[in-house]
Amino acid sequence: MTREVLIAPSILSADFARIGEEVRAVDEAGADWIHLDVMDGHFVPNITFGPDIVKAIRKYSAKCFDAHLMISPVDPFIEAFAKAGADRITVHAEGTVHLDRTLQAIRALGVKAGVSLNPATSEQEIAYVLDYVDLVLVMTVNPGFGGQKFIPAQVEKIRRISKMIGGRDIHIQVDGGITPETAPLVIEAGASCLVAGSAVFGRPPYAEAITAIRAALPR
Ligand code: DX5
Ligand code: ZN
């Protein structure tokens, strides 16, 4: 496998009292993207942060800010996250009624558009939007919290989505329970980008944690 795999540490597991410094630290430790988990206490049973925090931490890294919006409704907030500095915005298929419109609205702001699927959602939900997305995010835990156990049944979903994507230039990102043990399973199935929260922030030094994930990948 020669494809380059991207590692996106999730700041959900960072020390929120030092969030800017934590972003700088994972940037310097070799993160490819910075994954930003936005939660509203409605779509998911937890609350994190909004566009003002994204704006505040933007100056701590020049790397890609990858916003994962676990909020519903999502349409009224897309522009605010784009203006705050998100380079990519991923929404949940389950969190918006008009997914096609939502994805086109993200792209119209000059931001890369992603669509995410919860573990119980079929890959068929995205069959008709693949021409409008830059990334498909497969959740391998139920969204809301870091440090949960990887759900193995999602590996088959990743394989199916990889086939559906065909030759299109679309990343398959995987989020939830990614460790050096689970990372090779999803890469082998076709993933190209790994989100890791507790496997990076919970296992300092961060550079070693990121290297441990990369070292476990199939070559
Ligand atoms: C879960 C979030 C994830 C979370 C992953 O709702 O979307 O990004 O931070 O955490 P770990 O890697 O600890 O499972
Ligand atoms: Zn996430």
Side-chain angles (χ1 to χ4, degrees), residues 10 35 37 68 70 137 139 175 195:
S10 164
H35 187 78
D37 284 311
H68 175 194
M70 289 161 274
L137 167 51
M139 290 303 303
D175 187 0
V195 176

Side-chain angles (χ1 to χ4, degrees), residues 55-73:
K55 191 177 174 195
I57 60 178
R58 184 63 273 194
K59 57 181 171 295
Y60 288 86
S61 172
K63 289 193 175 158
C64 172
F65 267 21
D66 171 38
H68 175 194
L69 304 187
M70 289 161 274
I71 64 176
S72 183

Side-chain angles (χ1 to χ4, degrees), residues 111-133:
V111 173
K112 299 276 190 197
V115 59
S116 182
L117 299 176
N118 283 334
T121 304
S122 165
E123 65 279 2
Q124 288 308 321
E125 294 297 317
I126 57 169
Y128 295 95
V129 295
L130 288 175
D131 290 330
Y132 313 116
V133 296

Side-chain angles (χ1 to χ4, degrees), residues 67-88:
H68 175 194
L69 304 187
M70 289 161 274
I71 64 176
S72 183
V74 67
D75 289 357
F77 300 98
I78 287 169
E79 190 174 0
F81 282 100
K83 281 192 174 150
D87 300 295
R88 300 180 157 267

